[in-house]
């Protein structure tokens, strides 16, 4: 049985192994997750199109899956039997990494805070700046700097 900490290490190893081939195929590697569901282990590779206006479709997922299978078979970074799943980041993408925030600068996002700010835990605005510790959200013409450790979740939004 693979412990949760080891699963994170496996995901990081796989991510390092597949980042360049995924990018070489014309996609962004959004995330890699290795998790257990029931008795099965799953490797979930999430991809994004560099052109945000063009959504990922089933053909894209199949293309990346076919690309990754031989790479993973040869490198063999996972001891257990697992299922490979390649997926789109979805309509509401969870922004968790610096490259996610950079990719969505100038875009609408919704933010859920751990503690209320001006009476609310939920904000929606435009992501206008980002650094390692904080990001700036513009809401109705006013900019608010939010420390990342105060934020529970940041999701892309379709419209404000």
């Amino acid at each position: 049985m693979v412990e949760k900490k080891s699963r994170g290490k496996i995901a990081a190893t796989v991510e390092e192994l597949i980042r360049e081939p995924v990018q070489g195929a014309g996609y962004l590697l959004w995330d890699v997750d290795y998790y257990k569901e029931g008795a099965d282990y799953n490797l979930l590779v999430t991809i994004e199109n560099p052109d945000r206006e063009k959504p990922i479709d089933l053909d894209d997922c199949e293309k990346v899956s076919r690309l990754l299978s031989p790479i993973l078979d040869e490198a063999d970074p996972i001891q257990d039997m697992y299922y490979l799943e390649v997926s789109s980041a979805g309509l509401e993408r969870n922004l968790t990494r610096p490259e996610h925030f950079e990719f969505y600068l100038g875009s609408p996002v919704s933010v859920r805070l751990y503690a209320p700010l001006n009476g609310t835990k939920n904000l929606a605005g435009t992501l206008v700046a980002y650094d390692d510790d904080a990001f700036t959200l513009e809401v109705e013409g006013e900019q608010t700097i939010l420390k990342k450790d105060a934020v529970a979740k940041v999701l892309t939004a379709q419209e404000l």
Side-chain angles (χ1 to χ4, degrees):
M1 185 168 133
V2 179
E3 294 179 28
K4 189 173 184 175
K5 188 175 184 179
S6 295
R7 289 195 307 257
K9 194 171 191 173
I10 289 170
T13 300
V14 169
E15 182 174 334
E16 188 174 311
L17 181 68
I18 68 172
R19 180 171 297 285
E20 284 186 30
V22 168
Q23 290 174 339
Y27 302 96
L28 297 175
L29 182 59
W30 190 262
D31 200 8
V32 175
D33 190 18
Y34 184 63
Y35 63 96
K36 187 172 182 180
E37 186 171 54
D40 298 324
Y41 287 99
N42 300 283
L43 178 64
L44 174 61
V45 175
T46 309
I47 58 174
E48 175 65 90
N49 194 312
D51 176 0
R52 292 190 318 213
E53 300 302 315
K54 186 175 183 252
I56 294 293
D57 62 23
L58 190 56
D59 290 338
D60 295 314
C61 294
E62 183 178 337
K63 177 182 173 183
V64 172
S65 180
R66 289 180 191 271
L67 169 74
L68 297 182
S69 287
I71 294 168
L72 293 169
D73 288 346
E74 184 177 321
D76 200 20
I78 302 172
Q79 301 270 322
D80 301 299
M81 190 173 108
Y82 64 93
Y83 294 99
L84 172 63
E85 179 184 356
V86 178
S87 178
S88 160
L91 288 176
E92 289 186 337
R93 293 155 182 89
N94 191 9
L95 307 184
T96 58
R97 303 171 179 212
E99 60 265 27
H100 295 167
F101 284 88
E102 290 169 16
F103 189 67
Y104 279 96
L105 283 174
S107 299
V109 295
S110 60
V111 178
R112 175 125 176 106
L113 303 171
Y114 288 116
L117 176 68
N118 299 327
T120 185
K121 286 186 172 185
N122 299 305
L123 302 169
T126 302
L127 180 63
V128 295
Y130 169 82
D131 67 37
D132 290 337
D133 299 320
F135 61 92
T136 304
L137 189 68
E138 185 173 302
V139 180
E140 298 177 0
E142 288 190 35
Q143 293 189 358
T144 302
I145 297 172
L146 299 168
K147 295 284 187 188
K148 286 176 56 182
D149 60 2
V151 175
K153 187 176 267 193
V154 181
L155 296 172
T156 59
Q158 294 301 307
E159 295 180 24
L160 296 177

